[in-house]
Amino acid sequence: MGRAPCCDKANVKKGPWSPDEDALLRSYVEQHGTGGNWITLPQKIGTVGLKRCGKSCRLRWLNYLRPDIKHGGFSEEEDNLICSLYISIGSRWSIIAAHLPGRTDNDIKNYWNTKLKKKLFGKQRTDRRQCRSIGTAKQESDRFDDGGLGIVIDGAGQNDFWTSTSIRELHGEVGERSSSDGVSYQSPLVAPSSPLPQPLREDSASLASSSLPGVSTDLDELFQFDLVKLEGLDFFNGFEGVKNSNEVSPLVCPSVVQAHNELLQW
DNA sequence: AAATGTTCCAACCGCGTCTTG
DNA sequence: GCAAGACGCGGTTGGAACATT
């Protein structure tokens, strides 16, 4: 038995919001607030209600209509902060957004996927192209966007060290420090004894030695990232020196240090 | 000028977590 | 303690705008 739908799908409008709908939602929320219940909010709006799913209203308000939303291009400082935090904690967009006033998680996510990712790893792609003469540009691009990036981020320690639960706990969203479960979460930002988190190294080694056709070669190549991948980071102010260091922590950017310290406070 | 490909972003979807009764 | 409902998050998609051929 599946979850009950949050609204009557047959009677809600989908797709882009019209200016009228925006105005209705905005004026209602500004006057009455959300009332703590988005699901029922559409029926309360206007004389005939707003034919939108409550979730859709919430999203529209949070991502577009809120008065404190900052639209427009991202600054260099914001770029650095996003990249630093992404590499530190992965795709925890809401946490990243919390450190960028006026920006929404959706905004940041889109910005990362469309621009920052390319900006960050484009350089490496160029570097690697010089080393590899086979394959089309498109194939090369796909390989990097998928496998390469994911592994880089894993390599920064996210998956094995920062479970979603630990992040949430560290961020105080459950209201108390995380230690009751007896698990000690190691921050990827605190220099471990080796440039790579140990679990990843083991995983990569075992994966790379797998007998799957074609996997070994690719993984051998991809897991050279300790230095190779990080070289792409050096154009970010916050990452100077990372490639030469045995310390994993790239935290030179003050705002990232602050964000990181906040996490460690919990 | 038309066709095709690419980029970008708003919005949707599904699922895990939290809250409430 | 449990179940149902609501919330919040991250991944993905659709389509408009723009670029290239």
Side-chain angles (χ1 to χ4, degrees):
Chain A
M1 199 161 89
R3 165 189 295 263
C6 66
C7 55
D8 180 4
K9 302 269 183 199
N11 287 320
V12 297
K13 185 183 167 195
K14 287 163 70 172
W17 281 62
S18 70
D20 286 347
E21 290 174 314
D22 279 348
L24 272 174
L25 180 59
R26 181 187 282 118
S27 71
Y28 182 88
V29 174
E30 282 174 355
Q31 281 178 35
H32 305 95
T34 66
N37 190 335
W38 284 105
I39 301 299
T40 59
L41 187 138
Q43 289 94 59
K44 299 177 189 168
I45 296 179
T47 51
V48 292
L50 187 60
K51 295 201 180 316
R52 288 280 180 174
C53 171
K55 284 177 77 169
S56 180
C57 292
R58 174 185 163 272
L59 209 62
R60 185 64 178 172
W61 173 257
L62 292 178
N63 288 337
Y64 195 81
L65 297 176
R66 263 192 305 164
D68 56 337
I69 290 289
K70 200 193 290 181
H71 291 109
F74 284 68
S75 68
E76 193 72 16
E77 169 82 3
E78 286 174 315
D79 282 5
N80 290 344
L81 185 53
I82 293 167
C83 288
S84 304
L85 284 168
Y86 187 94
I87 286 165
S88 299
I89 64 175
S91 56
R92 308 290 199 261
W93 303 117
S94 58
I95 295 175
I96 294 173
H99 289 92
L100 289 145
R103 302 295 189 185
T104 68
D105 52 356
N106 207 37
D107 235 8
I108 294 168
K109 180 171 58 182
N110 281 333
Y111 184 57
W112 169 265
N113 284 330
T114 59
K115 293 188 184 156
L116 271 185
K117 193 161 77 175
K118 290 166 191 163
K119 186 178 175 185
L120 184 58
F121 295 103
K123 180 175 179 292
Q124 292 169 213
R125 192 174 307 169
T126 304
D127 291 347
R128 287 174 61 95
R129 281 220 181 90
Q130 291 168 355
C131 303
R132 292 175 60 91
S133 57
I134 57 171
T136 64
K138 172 62 177 165
Q139 286 168 336
E140 193 75 2
S141 169
D142 288 347
R143 270 165 40 83
F144 271 85
D145 282 353
D146 297 333
L149 178 63
I151 290 167
V152 166
I153 300 311
D154 285 355
Q158 178 209 338
N159 289 347
D160 290 314
F161 291 83
W162 295 77
T163 64
S164 64
T165 302
S166 66
I167 287 291
R168 195 172 293 258
E169 287 170 344
L170 283 167
H171 216 243
E173 291 179 21
V174 294
E176 58 183 340
R177 291 185 75 116
S178 159
S179 62
S180 58
D181 58 2
V183 177
S184 65
Y185 299 108
Q186 180 183 355
S187 165
L189 307 178
V190 176
S193 56
S194 72
L196 273 182
Q198 199 59 33
L200 178 76
R201 290 189 154 252
E202 288 166 0
D203 288 351
S204 64
S206 61
L207 277 170
S209 65
S210 78
S211 58
L212 291 173
V215 168
S216 177
T217 302
D218 279 355
L219 286 175
D220 282 347
E221 205 175 323
L222 289 168
F223 281 106
Q224 302 290 328
F225 73 87
D226 309 45
L227 299 180
V228 177
K229 297 286 185 186
L230 291 173
E231 280 174 358
L233 301 175
D234 55 8
F235 78 97
F236 281 106
N237 300 334
F239 289 88
E240 289 169 7
V242 65
K243 62 182 174 182
N244 296 324
S245 175
N246 284 332
E247 299 173 4
V248 161
S249 175
L251 300 177
V252 178
C253 176
S255 47
V256 181
V257 174
Q258 185 195 337
H260 175 231
N261 287 339
E262 284 173 18
L263 288 172
L264 293 180
Q265 290 294 314
W266 287 92

